Amino acid sequence: MREFLVELTTTVPEGTEQAEVDRRRAAEAVRARELAAAGNLGRLWRPVGELRSLGIWRAADEAELNEKVLGSLPLRPWMTAVITPLESHPNDPGWTGAGA
């Protein structure tokens, strides 16, 4: 699987009822756990005080990432995504050279 740095920004549409926001957020948490267990979500961070997240996501390619992984998130219709494909760097302290 390839790795991607993904920045997700969520904007709740104006006029959306709080119950719908709460329902989607709860479903999002469940789906994130499922994707982590499947190996698609490696790490996830939120910049302090912001409603966006940065994460390491895995998929076969960018199309699969968009369609099957990120596309399965309940909040995805309200998100914008900036996707950066990643590759190993030889100076990364955790890099083993495998797959190079």
Side-chain angles (χ1 to χ4, degrees), residues 57-73:
W57 295 80
R58 296 181 191 97
D61 54 35
E62 196 165 335
E64 179 183 85
L65 177 70
N66 271 307
E67 295 166 18
K68 295 182 180 175
V69 179
L70 299 178
S72 72
L73 296 171

Side-chain angles (χ1 to χ4, degrees), residues 25-96:
R25 285 189 176 148
E28 185 85 5
V30 170
R31 185 65 183 137
R33 285 190 298 274
E34 293 169 349
L35 291 168
N40 296 107
L41 175 55
R43 295 293 308 267
L44 194 60
W45 299 269
R46 173 170 287 151
V48 175
E50 297 185 30
L51 291 177
R52 67 185 177 107
S53 60
L54 301 168
I56 301 297
W57 295 80
R58 296 181 191 97
D61 54 35
E62 196 165 335
E64 179 183 85
L65 177 70
N66 271 307
E67 295 166 18
K68 295 182 180 175
V69 179
L70 299 178
S72 72
L73 296 171
L75 290 172
R76 184 64 178 109
W78 299 345
M79 293 176 169
T80 57
V82 177
I83 299 170
T84 304
L86 300 173
E87 61 183 24
S88 295
H89 189 288
N91 295 334
D92 177 0
W95 187 66
T96 62

